[in-house]
């Protein structure tokens, strides 16, 4: 005697059918994910490419800003040393 409300615990299916089912499920999941991110209109690849370009530009700008800050600090320190040496050696034409 089997209970009609009981579900079978094993699903029997051909490998091709299982592959097709998994492929459709993966495609639907990817479409839902893109829709959730607001990228469902067919321009997702272009939008993501633009975002990557923007992120790369931001990283380049940040790197350049750090390089510039280091160059300015180094130049300031060297200029201070030169002015200090000139004053120490009395090269500035002031009262001697």
């Amino acid at each position: 005697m089997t209970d009609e409300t009981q579900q079978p615990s094993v699903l029997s299916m051909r490998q091709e059918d299982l592959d097709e089912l998994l492929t459709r499920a993966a495609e639907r999941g990817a479409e839902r994910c893109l829709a959730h991110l607001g990228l469902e209109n067919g321009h997702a690849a272009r939008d993501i490419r633009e975002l990557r370009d923007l992120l790369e530009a931001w990283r380049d700008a940040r790197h350049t800003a750090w390089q510039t800050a280091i160059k300015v600090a180094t130049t300031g320190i060297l200029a201070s040393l030169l002015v200090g040496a000139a004053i120490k050696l009395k090269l500035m034409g002031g009262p001697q």
Side-chain angles (χ1 to χ4, degrees), residues 59-70:
R59 289 177 179 157
D60 288 344
R62 188 177 58 191
H63 181 72
T64 303
W66 275 110
Q67 283 183 334
T68 303
I70 290 170

Side-chain angles (χ1 to χ4, degrees), residues 1-8:
M1 255 202 288
T2 61
D3 189 3
E4 292 180 12
T5 60
Q6 203 175 27
Q7 297 290 331

